[in-house]
């Protein structure tokens, strides 16, 4: 049983101090489209992380996207993105992303330290909120509420396990992000958690590709057909 029931709507955003990366034309891998890409910038470079989280946690499979992007005059990359994504179960996702926060996400001086991430899941039984700054654990925590009121023991356990905010781990003094550690464990045949498997990754690629195509065409665009993330999603809220 999912803790919020069937997910009907998600509001999510990722706002980062990353102009130094996406507004600089010398960072070609982050800003320049190659091959069959419809665009490049904050969408591929950052929103892929957020959408993987949303699809996996919510058990959602994208079907269509409508988007608008604000492009850098210097690099041509998208610096800000606004999108609406519809899903196979009828749910909608309202997405906002921007690299235009002043400062450097990796430095406290002169701007925002870390990336602000927010994901709000609205279900037919309740609501889950997870938001904060990824380099400031005390900036947020998991929040759950039910339409019927009250929380059960499993809910309380989930809240206790996420009493601080953690999203992207890029601490240079650490052992790398948990996704990399899980990959190493998998290669060694150890028990590991699959937080963003191949099917979730495919769903993310299809959604972002549709977003870029929509930004160019000005129309609603279909994601490529397929099962996508719906097969393996929903584990965290389940």
């Amino acid at each position: 049983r999912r803790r919020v029931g069937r997910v009907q709507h998600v509001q999510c955003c990722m706002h980062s101090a990353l102009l130094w990366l996406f507004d600089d034309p010398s960072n070609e891998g982050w800003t320049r489209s190659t091959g069959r890409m419809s665009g490049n910038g904050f969408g591929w470079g950052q929103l892929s992380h957020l959408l993987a989280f949303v699809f996996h946690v919510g058990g959602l499979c994208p079907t269509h996207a409508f988007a608008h992007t604000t492009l850098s005059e210097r690099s041509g990359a998208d610096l800000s993105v606004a999108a609406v994504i519809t899903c196979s179960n009828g749910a909608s996702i309202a997405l906002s992303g921007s690299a235009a926060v002043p400062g450097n996400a990796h430095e406290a001086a002169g701007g925002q330290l870390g990336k602000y991430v927010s994901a709000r899941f609205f279900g037919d039984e309740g609501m889950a909120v997870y938001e904060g700054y990824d380099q400031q654990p005390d900036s947020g925590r998991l929040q759950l509420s039910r339409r019927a009121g009250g929380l059960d023991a499993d809910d309380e356990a989930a809240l206790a396990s996420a009493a601080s905010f953690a999203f992207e781990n890029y601490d240079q003094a650490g052992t790398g992000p948990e996704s990399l550690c899980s990959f190493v464990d998998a290669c060694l045949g150890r028990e590991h958690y699959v937080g963003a498997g191949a099917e979730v990754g495919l769903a993310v690629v299809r959604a972002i590709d549709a977003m870029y195509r929509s930004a160019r065409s000005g129309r609603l665009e279909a994601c490529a057909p397929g099962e996508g993330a719906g097969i393996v999603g929903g584990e965290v809220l389940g």
Side-chain angles (χ1 to χ4, degrees):
R1 177 177 58 85
R2 292 183 182 173
R3 305 195 186 285
V4 301
R6 178 175 172 271
V7 175
Q8 299 174 320
H9 178 65
V10 180
Q11 176 184 295
C12 57
C13 71
M14 188 173 192
H15 300 151
S16 311
L18 291 175
L19 286 173
W20 60 270
L21 180 62
F22 293 106
D23 198 35
D24 185 345
S26 67
N27 297 320
E28 293 187 359
W30 297 89
T31 63
R32 183 179 177 184
S33 299
T34 58
R36 297 171 61 187
M37 295 175 68
S38 299
N40 197 10
F42 195 83
W44 286 121
Q46 294 292 291
L47 291 181
S48 52
H49 308 174
L50 177 60
L51 285 174
F53 176 79
V54 168
F55 292 156
H56 176 63
V57 171
L60 299 173
C61 177
T63 59
H64 295 81
F66 182 80
H68 176 79
T69 57
T70 301
L71 305 180
S72 165
E73 295 181 359
R74 298 180 66 237
S75 68
D78 52 283
L79 300 180
S80 298
V81 181
V84 173
I85 300 171
T86 57
C87 301
S88 58
N89 71 338
S92 60
I93 300 171
L95 172 67
S96 170
S98 184
V101 177
N104 185 326
H106 301 277
E107 300 174 0
Q112 173 180 298
L113 174 62
K115 306 169 185 178
Y116 180 74
V117 179
S118 174
R120 295 179 166 231
F121 297 86
F122 301 85
D124 61 5
E125 294 182 18
M127 175 183 175
V129 178
Y130 192 60
E131 57 192 8
Y133 293 90
D134 66 354
Q135 294 300 293
Q136 303 175 45
D138 61 352
S139 64
R141 59 181 176 82
L142 177 64
Q143 302 174 58
L144 292 172
S145 58
R146 291 190 180 281
R147 293 187 182 183
L151 299 175
D152 60 26
D154 289 338
D155 295 332
E156 297 292 353
L159 292 173
S161 69
S164 60
F165 187 79
F167 191 79
E168 290 189 339
N169 181 1
Y170 43 89
D171 184 357
Q172 296 300 305
T175 58
E178 282 69 17
S179 56
L180 177 60
C181 295
S182 291
F183 177 73
V184 172
D185 286 340
C187 292
L188 295 175
R190 299 171 180 167
E191 183 178 353
H192 60 281
Y193 179 74
V194 181
E199 289 170 324
V200 170
L202 178 60
V204 170
V205 169
R206 286 172 168 169
I208 294 179
D209 178 66
M211 286 163 51
Y212 276 108
R213 285 187 282 112
S214 173
R216 290 172 65 95
S217 69
R219 299 189 300 268
L220 181 73
E221 295 285 350
C223 303
E227 295 299 329
I231 298 174
V232 296
E235 295 181 6
V236 176
L237 292 184

